[in-house]
Every structure is written in C-alpha cells, then in structure tokens.
Amino acid sequence: MSVLDDIVAGVAEDLEARRRTVPLEQMQERARAAAPALDAFAALGGSDPERTQLRVIAEVKRSSPSKGALAEITDPAALAASYEAGGAAVISVLTEQRRFGGSLADFDAVRKAVKIPLLRKDFTVDEYQIWEARAHGADLVLLIVAALDDARLKDFLALTHELGMNALVETHTAQEIERAVAVGAKIIGVNVRNLKTLDVDRSVFASLASSIPGAAVMVAESGVRDAADVEQYASVGANAVLVGEALVRHNDPAATIAEFMRTGSGALAARGHGKG
C-alpha cells in the first residue's frame, strides 16, 4: 500500500464517523444555507489576461507525513490573519487529522478571521466532503487526480462548480494533467511531491508546466523553501505557489509572503506573461 492509499483509507474511515453524526441530507441543508462562495479563480488571477502577478496560497499546516511536526499553531486564526496581511490570495487549511494534525475546527476559526477565499485542504474521496466543505464556508476544495478515477473526478468537479466553489485539481504526471484538462479543471496544481512515496523533485514542475492550458491557473505545490524556489517556479509559468512549511516555521510569515510575491511577480514579468 502506498502512502497515498494509506492516507485515503484513514480519511474514508474518519468520514464515515462524521457522516453518522451529521447525515448527508443535513449537511446539504447546511451547505445551501451558507453564504455564497468567494471567487477563488479570480483571486488567483484567473480573470487577468496578463497574469504578471504571482499569487500565494498560504497554508495552515501543523504537520506532514514526510516531515512530522512542523509547528504547534495554537492560534490558526491569528496565523491566517497574518497571511492575509502579507497579501496571500488564498488560505489553505489542512483538515485531515491523522497525518496532518488538522481539523474542521481549525477551518472554522480561520473562516471567521479572514475575508479572502479558503481552500479546504483534505483528501476528497466522497461527495459528502464537498458538501461539508461548503457548509463550513469553503471556497475551494482539493481534488487529487491520483486518488480518483475519471468518473469521480468529473462528478466531484461538477458538484464543486454547482455549489459555486472552485477546485484545485492536483496532478503529478503528464497523464494526470491530461485527465484534469479533460474534465474542465480551471485551477490545476502540479505537486512536485510524489504522494505515493513522499519524494520531492522540484524539476517536475518545469517538465509539466507547458502541458497546462494557458486559460487555467497554474499552481506549483510543495518544495518551496525560499524566494529562489518561488522564482524558479514562476520563471517557467507558475501563476501561484502553495506554501506551508516555509511559512509556519517562519517568525514573520507576512513578510515572507510579500517577498515571495515580489520575487515571483518579477520572474513572471521577465517572461512577458504568466501563461504556460
């Protein structure tokens, strides 16, 4: 069993416990009653034809399977507020508990603290989680192509759009990008971490970026240690970077985000445009 398979199995088990507490029909009612989702596609520059501004998706992340504990994060709302102050376009909140130490309670706290779009960062394996995300005020959900067959990927993306949200559709290979494009993904991430082995290869992004259509927002995920990594991703066309560890371990995440945006935007401007 791969690391991804093991994580997904745990997610499915925890999901069933929540479903017993709040049945799907009740969760759907809560989702329909929630305030409308914010436009994360626009926030990430999707509506900007030039795309010369690098966007940052800043992550509230306590731990990871590859690195273990990253930061205690006693106040996720305060951390998220600092991200917003630094200019983050979107905030990602881990809600997977077993491997990442996240929770929907973290998400709720952040939702109350910021006014920018939120990504509910979890391993989506059932439509219940999409309704659940919307009920808690999510504007984006994560759909990992490697964890879904074509039918579920298509159905989950359609449901996400039906609920007024967007999806970050995560890929790692050329074939996965083809599958994401085939279902009409508007925000496509390339995770340079192989979720089956947890190995990181930053060159993966450069090798795959040109396969992503220019109309889609292109997100570089994982492997960001400093501004040089952001510059490298932007230089080959990343419109946004998703950053967790480099922010939660920094004493001044707002300043770090601002630096990443300056550096990445400079690299995009040097290319002449932000499209792949």
Side-chain angles (χ1 to χ4, degrees):
M1 179 182 284
S2 72
V3 175
L4 178 60
D5 291 335
D6 185 54
I7 293 173
V8 166
V11 165
E13 186 176 327
D14 294 342
L15 163 64
E16 288 309 312
R18 297 197 306 278
R19 198 200 313 259
R20 286 192 294 271
T21 302
V22 182
L24 176 61
E25 295 76 11
Q26 187 175 343
M27 191 62 73
Q28 288 172 328
E29 291 177 5
R30 293 182 184 181
R32 293 188 179 105
L38 302 174
D39 189 345
F41 181 72
L44 291 170
S47 303
D48 178 5
E50 297 300 322
R51 298 201 192 164
T52 54
Q53 299 298 311
L54 190 282
R55 267 70 173 187
V56 173
I57 303 174
E59 195 153 79
V60 177
K61 182 178 186 179
R62 287 192 170 89
S63 62
S64 73
S66 60
K67 296 289 184 70
L70 299 174
E72 190 175 353
I73 310 183
T74 56
D75 191 345
L79 177 61
S82 71
Y83 288 168
E84 185 176 32
V90 170
I91 294 174
S92 168
V93 183
L94 264 299
T95 61
E96 197 282 333
Q97 188 168 5
R98 298 188 184 203
R99 297 294 194 101
F100 294 88
S103 68
L104 282 164
D106 282 352
F107 190 94
D108 291 342
V110 172
R111 178 71 288 170
K112 292 176 182 177
V114 302
K115 299 184 183 303
I116 60 177
L118 295 190
L119 165 65
R120 191 260 178 105
K121 183 85 175 292
D122 211 323
F123 295 75
T124 306
V125 296
D126 190 284
E127 71 166 281
Y128 181 93
Q129 293 164 281
I130 300 173
W131 289 99
E132 183 180 51
R134 185 79 281 275
H136 283 264
D139 308 292
L140 294 116
V141 296
L142 178 69
L143 300 179
I144 301 175
V145 175
L148 301 168
D149 58 32
D150 286 341
R152 286 192 298 165
L153 180 61
K154 181 179 179 181
D155 290 347
F156 288 178
L157 184 60
L159 176 60
T160 300
H161 290 161
E162 179 185 325
L163 295 179
M165 294 188 292
N166 281 286
L168 171 57
V169 181
E170 180 176 298
T171 66
H172 181 70
T173 67
Q175 182 184 30
E176 289 174 6
I177 290 175
E178 290 178 7
R179 293 177 59 203
V181 172
V183 298
K186 295 163 51 178
I187 305 171
I188 300 177
V190 174
N191 194 343
V192 303
R193 186 185 304 280
N194 184 335
L195 292 180
K196 297 179 180 179
T197 64
L198 300 183
D199 293 335
V200 171
D201 181 355
R202 292 172 185 83
S203 69
V204 166
F205 186 82
S207 69
L208 297 177
S210 62
S211 303
I212 298 176
V217 168
M218 192 188 316
V219 182
E221 301 180 50
S222 299
V224 174
R225 298 163 297 190
D226 50 33
D229 290 327
V230 174
E231 182 177 28
Q232 176 59 33
Y233 285 147
S235 72
V236 292
N239 306 122
V241 292
L242 189 153
V243 189
E245 180 182 348
L247 296 178
V248 299
R249 287 183 162 175
H250 202 283
N251 291 330
D252 191 347
T256 304
I257 290 171
E259 179 189 13
F260 287 175
M261 290 170 60
R262 285 193 302 271
T263 302
S265 296
L268 282 174
R271 295 183 83 239
H273 57 78
K275 299 178 183 177

